Amino acid sequence: MNNTQKILLTLSLAYGTYKVFTYLWAKDKANTRAKRHTFACQHWTKRSISTYTGVNDTPILIALDGKVYDVSEGRGFYGPGCAYNVFAGRDASRLLAKQEFDDGMTDAELDAPIDKLDDLTEEDREALDSYIGLFSVKYQCVGDLVEP
C-alpha cells in the first residue's frame, strides 16, 4: 500500500467516524426534546419509580445508593431501545457497581427490600461512587429511595 492509498484510507476512516458521531449526537439531542417534568424532591419506592422508564415519553428515573435521579436528559442512553435502558425505572446501584446487565426488572426485585450493598468490594464501591459523582453533576436528584 503506497502513501496515497494510506492517506485516502485514513481520510475515509476519519470521515466515517465523524458521520457516526454526528448521527449519534443528533439522535441523542432529538431524544432529549421530550417534555420536561419537574419533580418536587420526594420519597420514592422501588415500585413508584418503576413506571418512569421513558416509555410513551415519560421521564426516566434511576436510583443509585438511596438517591433517585431524573436522567431524562440522557434519553438517548437510558430511553426505550437504548443501550442502558435496563437501568431505567429501578435501583441500578448493584448493576452499575458491578458493571452488570440483566434481563430487566422483575416483580421479585420490586418486592425485595432495598439492597444495602454491604457486600460490595472496594473496587465495586469505587465504581458506584464514580457513577454517583457523574449523576450528581449531570442529572437532577429528585428524592430518596425508601421502603414502602
Side-chain angles (χ1 to χ4, degrees):
M1 183 179 279
N2 65 36
N3 282 341
T4 303
Q5 290 173 323
K6 288 179 184 178
I7 291 171
L8 287 174
L9 178 62
T10 302
L11 289 173
S12 296
L13 289 173
Y15 179 73
T17 303
Y18 164 78
K19 291 301 278 183
V20 167
F21 281 114
T22 55
Y23 167 77
L24 292 174
W25 180 78
K27 179 182 173 197
D28 186 49
K29 192 162 179 94
N31 283 332
T32 59
R33 290 190 190 118
K35 294 181 226 170
R36 292 206 176 206
H37 290 72
T38 304
F39 292 102
C41 196
Q42 60 186 342
H43 291 120
W44 298 87
T45 64
K46 291 199 292 184
R47 198 165 285 283
S48 66
I49 68 171
S50 69
T51 60
Y52 294 97
T53 60
V55 174
N56 297 323
D57 288 330
T58 60
I60 304 169
L61 300 181
I62 295 177
L64 284 180
D65 203 20
K67 298 291 181 191
V68 179
Y69 297 90
D70 179 357
V71 300
S72 300
E73 287 187 29
R75 188 170 295 276
F77 299 104
Y78 303 107
C82 295
Y84 300 105
N85 181 250
V86 69
F87 303 124
R90 68 194 294 195
D91 181 2
S93 303
R94 180 167 297 278
L95 294 172
L96 289 170
K98 294 189 162 290
Q99 304 291 304
E100 295 177 347
F101 288 76
D102 64 9
D103 294 328
M105 194 168 19
T106 63
D107 281 333
E109 178 184 341
L110 286 174
D111 295 331
I114 295 171
D115 191 344
K116 301 292 183 208
L117 306 170
D118 294 335
D119 60 336
L120 292 181
T121 66
E122 186 176 322
E123 186 178 286
D124 294 340
R125 189 73 222 182
E126 286 176 9
L128 179 59
D129 287 343
S130 68
Y131 278 107
I132 292 168
L134 172 72
F135 277 47
S136 298
V137 170
K138 195 169 182 176
Y139 304 116
Q140 180 185 6
C141 180
V142 295
D144 297 312
L145 186 65
V146 298
E147 297 291 350

